[in-house]
Amino acid sequence: TGHPDHRLVGNVVTQVVHEASAKVSAGLRDRLIVVSRTADADDRLDLDVGFSLTREASRTVKLGGGLELQTRELPAVDTMATLIRTGPAWRSHFAFGAIGEWIEANSYELAGPCREVFLDAPIERATEPIIEIQFPVRRAA
């Protein structure tokens, strides 16, 4: 119960990045992606953490703590509201607030889970990654 522990999320992301770096070839891994299906009224975290791939792959990669990487395809989206943010994680709420205001002001509504695409690997810039925030949207009824 209580609010999700963002340090825990950071620890999982770090674990996935480090272990995947050792177990998945650099030529196959592309961008780190975090997909969040967490509902506003729900305190449970429902996240997928993984990488976009440069080519098809089908094997499962076992990580520590019972985690594993599986190949999945993110569904295509007709319209996305996107924003690129930099800076430490504690400032991310400013970016999410700005994109939420834009969605509402332009008569859109959410149409799927949020995606965060790390444009600059967190290993290289752990304190200030460059992240594209993507929200699938549709015109509000």
Side-chain angles (χ1 to χ4, degrees), residues 38-115:
T38 305
D40 291 337
D42 192 351
D43 285 338
R44 287 182 312 118
L45 287 177
D46 184 2
L47 302 175
D48 286 334
V49 179
F51 292 89
S52 57
L53 302 176
T54 58
R55 63 184 182 278
E56 285 191 38
S58 60
R59 70 184 179 107
T60 297
V61 177
K62 301 283 186 190
L63 305 177
L67 299 177
E68 61 184 29
L69 296 175
Q70 299 175 345
T71 304
R72 281 197 216 158
E73 188 170 330
L74 286 173
V77 174
D78 289 331
T79 306
M80 288 268 203
T82 67
L83 176 119
I84 295 177
R85 77 163 188 87
T86 60
W90 65 266
R91 291 185 51 211
S92 66
H93 66 278
F94 293 117
F96 281 94
I99 203 166
E101 287 178 17
W102 185 92
I103 289 169
E104 187 174 326
N106 289 279
S107 300
Y108 283 92
E109 62 186 13
L110 298 180
C114 173
R115 303 172 184 186

Side-chain angles (χ1 to χ4, degrees), residues 37 63 66 86-87 118 123 134:
R37 293 176 188 80
L63 305 177
T86 60
F118 286 70
I123 292 175
Q134 304 174 342

